[in-house]
């Protein structure tokens, strides 16, 4: 029965089994994602960056008119006023305004827990060592427009910046053909964004990184975008800070077989509907349960508004994986380091210690990823493509930096001077040694 | 007198005054540093990266033989054993072993304060939110060889990784012409490095990023290197994490006129001796004091082992800046965002709140930067070229990452489901909405 189902539905979503000889090969092929931009994209981005660096506003206006099919003549036409943002917020349907406000409150509450404190300690000889935490002066937030404009992304990017104490938040959002999304504007008002420019692509990244006559230069650029945005962010990294290079969104769901197959199917769809490259994978050690989820997928698919995108995403990059047991599921999780991990199991707490790599962990059958995407509180900007091995969710820490504090007493400097002198001479850096030796007491 | 001195010594170090009409222009010119690699470097690096990705060990051996003038036939010849490291440590002169050990202890003690904790909190309806902190599985440490090999850098890179709980630390250090630095080996032993490969350049970065038959693939690469290393790190970013793109080292010293001019001259030299591109700047509102420091520079310069390098560094990129008062000095500090900031003033604590951007702050006349370079405790891998606006010293946080925890109770999921449903439908993501709605109670 299992094999038959697998063949019948091969076109909808792949079935994998860890017991198959080619499992690792097939998993690798599924996960493979070359996020590197080709030389043509690279060259176009380089050209736009150089042009904005040299010509400022004029180059931004030109590129925006060209790529977003506008006919702006000055930057004022590409800037939204506080009044426009407030008007959008005030005129939202009450249900939307209420949901947005509740979500913002919860996001704020969670991120306030992330605030680190400056600290210092004094040693016996009076030497003080410490670490000072300071917010960035100015942060740039890239909000994708085009295909889908996400007001939730405005909240998820701007609120941590605010909680961190960033002085000015500059938002950019492309508006192809001049179409404004009122929810996005309302979210910008709610999140207290200081500037909004309706620009996007590499030209927006360049404007934020270098500054123009109208766009203030920022210290860090966060937020996801298309391949041009990602390529531009990589190029300006160093000139400004960046958060990460985002790949397609992904989810890995583990089910113990007791969650309603319809729920699981819809959880997978909610990832797959983002775009054709999105990845939705379900793992279970219960083969009949996987059959049931597969049947639910087939049954529910035709009811989806974005059926076409979901089908393509599932066909290209989705999978239902049969594994031996929970232990093997954990091994696969850590191998994949998924952006979103749903533990649709009876006692998810027991799994937590063993999970080393995941952007966000959604625990238990009730915690649908969609709840985290909008309003649970934690950030929805998460490391993709296995980068959870070394990256964290966007957070307050992305909008602050640390400075080391060293304040030697006379006695402390004398003792440290002796150590530094030996080591500096060992490195043949004798001016270092002599600078330290001046502080050694007789 | 001031003008005369300035003209006589124009060749040694520039004198700037904030009251001059062209001050900002001259400061900008001094600070200007184009860290971007040219197309030729980029092309060579791309070639090496592709070659190592495809041919693994063979490509690493080939590049190493070529660039470091070796004749290795297998990777075993480019790997140091634990016995070699221990032997180096055991055979150090006692003074060096002692200094290295004391420095390591102090660095460890400071970095232990940086360890963050996982946390979670429970809401009234039983929903639990939190953040899980997990160390990286494997970290790669790049230690420059060539011109100057720095054992202190081994400690500063490896100890935070250890404190973070990283499972395996892989160090690479080029050994041009096969010359091994025993202090570097001893430091690797002391810091508990797991693997040491005597490889460098883009080929070492590629080996760490992609893994080869012999070199384990790491999750993040830290440590400074030359332009090939920096270019390679930028290229592999995303595949692995990286710490930062390092530029030339710099110091900004502020003096209130009461510090011994010889001390200040030597503090500036200790930065300038690193290399010709290093930057040493002194600011004071006491013009006669600046004259005295300039005289000390002239007098002490001929006594330096690295006089040639120091002269060129001071001539190209050094400056003595006369400002109006302490407030103006703070403005310049925040404008420059120096890697190292020495506050050689009577009450440095009073300055701290106003300083927004600096990698490390050395407070008071006794705290020579050299003490921090080796043994005070805080890290000496610091953000350069103004990147202290958004970057932090290397730290334990570089070797850990966070995962968000969301565990909704049935009641919590029901309430959150209502909010998520409204927002998801506002974004036309109806599978998101339906996934959330399944969790709403009747």
């Amino acid at each position: 029965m299992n094999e038959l189902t697998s063949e019948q539905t091969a076109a909808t979503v792949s079935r994998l089994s860890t017991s198959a000889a080619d499992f690792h090969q097939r998993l690798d092929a599924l996960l493979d994602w070359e996020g590197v931009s080709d030389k043509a994209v690279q060259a176009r981005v380089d050209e736009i960056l150089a042009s904005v660096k040299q010509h400022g506003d004029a180059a931004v206006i030109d590129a925006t008119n060209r790529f977003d099919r506008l006919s702006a003549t000055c930057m004022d036409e590409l800037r939204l006023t506080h009044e426009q943002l407030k008007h959008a917020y005030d005129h939202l349907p009450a249900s939307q305004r209420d949901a947005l406000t509740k979500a913002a409150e919860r996001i704020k509450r969670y991120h306030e827990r992330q605030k680190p404190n400056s600290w210092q300690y004094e040693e016996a000889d009076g030497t003080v060592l410490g670490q000072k935490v300071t917010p960035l002066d100015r942060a740039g937030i890239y909000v994708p427009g085009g295909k889908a404009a996400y007001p939730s992304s405005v909240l998820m990017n701007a609120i941590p910046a605010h909680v961190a104490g960033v002085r000015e938040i500059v938002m950019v959002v492309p508006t192809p053909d001049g179409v404004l999304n009122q929810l996005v504007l309302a979210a910008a008002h709610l999140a207290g964004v200081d500037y909004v420019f309706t620009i996007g692509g590499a030209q927006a990244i360049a404007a934020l990184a270098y500054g123009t006559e109208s766009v203030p230069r920022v210290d860090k650029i966060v937020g996801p975008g298309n391949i041009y945005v990602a390529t531009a962010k990589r190029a300006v990294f160093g000139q400004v800070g960046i958060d990460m290079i985002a790949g397609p969104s992904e989810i890995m769901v583990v089910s113990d077989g007791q969650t309603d197959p319809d729920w699981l199917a819809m959880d997978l769809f909610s990832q797959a509907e983002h775009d054709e490259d999105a990845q939705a994978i379900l793992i279970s050690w219960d083969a009949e349960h996987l059959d049931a989820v597969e049947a639910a997928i087939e049954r529910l698919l035709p009811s989806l508004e974005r059926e076409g995108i979901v089908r393509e995403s599932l066909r290209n990059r989705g999978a239902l994986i049969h594994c031996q047991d929970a232990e093997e599921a954990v091994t696969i999780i850590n191998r994949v380091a998924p952006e979103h991990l749903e533990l649709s199991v009876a006692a998810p707490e027991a799994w937590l210690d063993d999970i080393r790599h995941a952007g966000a962990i959604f625990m238990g059958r009730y915690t649908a990823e969609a709840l985290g995407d909008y309003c649970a509180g934690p950030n929805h900007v998460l490391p993709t493509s296995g980068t959870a091995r070394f990256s964290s969710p966007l957070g307050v820490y992305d909008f602050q930096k640390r400075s080391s504090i060293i304040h030697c007493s006379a006695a402390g400097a004398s003792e440290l001077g002796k150590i530094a002198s030996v080591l500096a001479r060992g490195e043949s850096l004798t001016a270092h040694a002599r600078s330290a030796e001046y502080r050694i007491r007789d």
Side-chain angles (χ1 to χ4, degrees), chain A:
Chain A
M1 153 80 183
N2 198 349
E3 270 187 4
L4 193 65
T5 312
S6 174
E7 275 178 23
Q8 283 174 331
T9 62
T12 302
V13 59
S14 301
R15 289 286 290 261
L16 271 64
S17 168
T18 57
S19 61
D22 64 349
F23 172 70
H24 290 287
Q25 204 180 319
R26 291 190 66 187
L27 183 63
D28 284 348
L30 258 185
L31 298 175
D32 192 40
W33 177 259
E34 194 60 70
V36 178
S37 44
D38 62 24
K39 286 200 196 304
V41 171
Q42 185 75 52
R44 285 181 71 180
V45 167
D46 284 349
E47 200 180 304
I48 294 168
L49 293 177
S51 163
V52 172
K53 194 172 188 179
Q54 199 182 341
H55 303 294
D57 281 351
V60 174
I61 294 167
D62 177 61
T64 303
N65 285 344
R66 204 146 32 104
F67 299 125
D68 294 340
R69 297 168 298 280
L70 304 182
S71 50
T73 56
C74 67
M75 277 302 289
D76 274 353
E77 297 171 37
L78 299 176
R79 184 172 163 187
L80 301 179
T81 64
H82 287 283
E83 291 65 37
Q84 283 173 289
L85 306 185
K86 185 167 187 309
H87 183 267
Y89 179 79
D90 290 340
H91 289 77
L92 278 189
S95 63
Q96 286 192 339
R97 198 170 55 232
D98 190 47
L100 210 56
T101 306
K102 279 185 180 151
E105 277 163 12
R106 291 188 60 87
I107 295 165
K108 184 160 180 249
R109 205 180 311 149
Y110 177 85
H111 285 83
E112 272 167 355
R113 303 259 177 166
Q114 285 182 335
K115 280 187 88 165
N117 292 316
S118 299
W119 50 263
Q120 46 181 244
Y121 62 97
E122 190 173 333
E123 302 191 312
D125 61 21
T127 293
V128 172
L129 300 174
Q131 191 173 272
K132 175 185 186 323
V133 178
T134 314
L136 306 190
D137 283 348
R138 210 182 272 135
I141 289 176
Y142 191 97
V143 176
K147 266 192 202 171
Y150 297 142
S152 56
S153 292
V154 177
L155 301 184
M156 292 290 183
N157 280 281
I159 291 174
H162 243 298
V163 171
V166 170
R167 291 179 170 183
E168 280 190 345
I169 301 174
V170 184
M171 175 175 140
V172 294
V173 54
T175 54
D177 302 308
V179 179
L180 289 177
N181 179 314
Q182 295 302 312
L183 264 166
V184 165
L185 271 57
H189 169 75
L190 187 60
V193 168
D194 297 285
Y195 297 85
V196 180
F197 295 95
T198 55
I199 58 177
Q203 59 274 20
I205 299 299
L208 293 171
Y210 307 129
T212 70
E213 302 91 313
S214 305
V215 182
R217 182 184 83 145
V218 304
D219 300 302
K220 186 165 184 171
I221 302 173
V222 303
N226 63 19
I227 189 70
Y228 290 94
V229 172
T231 304
K233 278 173 76 178
R234 182 188 297 273
V236 298
F237 172 52
Q239 179 80 33
V240 292
I242 64 171
D243 53 342
M244 54 184 97
I245 307 285
S249 192
E250 351 121 15
I251 194 171
M252 174 162 280
V253 183
V254 180
S255 172
D256 60 7
Q258 303 304 308
T259 304
D260 185 327
D262 284 12
W263 289 24
L264 294 169
M266 199 58 75
D267 293 356
L268 297 172
F269 294 157
S270 78
Q271 193 58 43
E273 76 172 336
H274 274 295
D275 61 70
E276 294 81 354
D277 294 321
Q279 182 155 65
I281 295 176
L282 171 67
I283 309 180
S284 182
W285 46 92
D286 182 336
E288 281 180 29
H289 177 63
L290 289 175
D291 293 343
V293 174
E294 190 168 0
I297 288 175
E298 295 295 344
R299 180 167 38 80
L300 291 169
L301 254 172
S303 72
L304 299 180
E305 269 87 349
R306 297 162 80 97
E307 182 188 353
I309 295 173
V310 172
R311 275 196 191 279
E312 198 167 336
S313 158
L314 289 181
R315 188 185 314 122
N316 295 342
R317 307 201 71 216
L320 307 181
I321 301 179
H322 180 244
C323 66
Q324 295 308 305
D325 49 28
E327 197 183 324
E328 204 176 53
V330 168
T331 303
I332 297 172
I333 291 166
N334 286 332
R335 156 81 183 80
V336 172
E339 180 191 11
H340 303 97
L341 172 65
E342 240 183 64
L343 296 176
S344 209
V345 299
E349 306 83 1
W351 291 57
L352 222 42
D353 278 351
D354 295 327
I355 293 167
R356 295 184 61 79
H357 313 301
I361 307 173
F362 300 80
M363 299 171 68
R365 310 184 204 292
Y366 292 104
T367 315
E369 186 216 306
L371 305 181
D373 285 343
Y374 291 105
C375 56
N379 213 287
H380 80 195
V381 181
L382 296 166
T384 56
S385 308
T387 59
R389 290 183 292 123
F390 52 84
S391 299
S392 302
L394 188 70
V396 170
Y397 35 80
D398 280 299
F399 298 100
Q400 298 181 321
K401 71 280 179 2
R402 305 166 178 89
S403 303
S404 304
I405 303 289
I406 311 178
H407 193 170
C408 291
S409 65
S414 182
E415 285 311 301
L416 293 180
K418 293 170 192 165
I419 303 172
S421 164
V422 172
L423 295 175
R425 290 186 183 277
E427 293 182 352
S428 305
L429 293 176
T430 44
H432 281 71
R434 290 170 66 186
S435 164
E437 287 156 11
Y438 275 141
R439 276 77 176 186
I440 300 178
R441 287 168 165 176
D442 301 323

